[in-house]
Amino acid sequence: MEAYYNCLQCKNKRVRILTNDGKRHEGVIVDVDRNNVYLKTKGNGRVTTSGYNPYGNYYGGFYGYGSEILTLSLFTLLAIALI
C-alpha cells in the first residue's frame, strides 16, 4: 500500500523508478491502480523512412511523440525518485 500512495503523490510528475530486479525506468506517472503504475516513457525520436524527421534533429526523443505507456507492478517497485 505504501508504494500505491507514493505513486499517487507523484502522479503527472517526472520520476525515475527502480525495481527489485535492478532495472531503472524513467518517465511520467500517468495513472496508478491498486496493482500497477502506468509510466509514460520518453519517445525515441524516430526518423521516418524518407530520412526526414518532422520534429527536428532531437534524436533523444521527448514525452509525446513516440512515447509508450509502460505498466509496472507495484509489488516490484523498490524506489521512486522525482527528477
Side-chain angles (χ1 to χ4, degrees):
M1 285 307 268
E2 184 178 340
Y4 172 74
Y5 291 113
N6 287 338
C7 289
L8 278 178
Q9 290 178 349
C10 296
K11 192 172 175 181
N12 298 317
K13 296 179 182 170
R14 193 168 169 219
V15 296
R16 182 175 294 133
I17 295 177
L18 180 64
T19 58
N20 288 333
D21 58 2
K23 294 182 182 177
R24 292 182 186 185
H25 305 280
E26 192 173 307
V28 175
I29 295 179
V30 292
D31 198 12
V32 182
D33 62 27
R34 295 285 179 178
N35 297 312
N36 300 305
V37 58
Y38 302 93
L39 191 69
K40 187 174 190 176
T41 60
K42 206 172 193 183
N44 60 7
R46 293 183 190 143
V47 178
T48 62
T49 54
S50 66
Y52 170 71
N53 184 351
Y55 300 98
N57 291 327
Y58 184 64
Y59 293 105
F62 52 90
Y63 298 97
Y65 172 73
S67 59
E68 299 176 359
I69 303 293
L70 179 64
T71 304
L72 299 171
S73 171
L74 288 176
F75 300 109
T76 64
L77 301 186
L78 187 60
I80 300 173
L82 290 172
I83 53 173

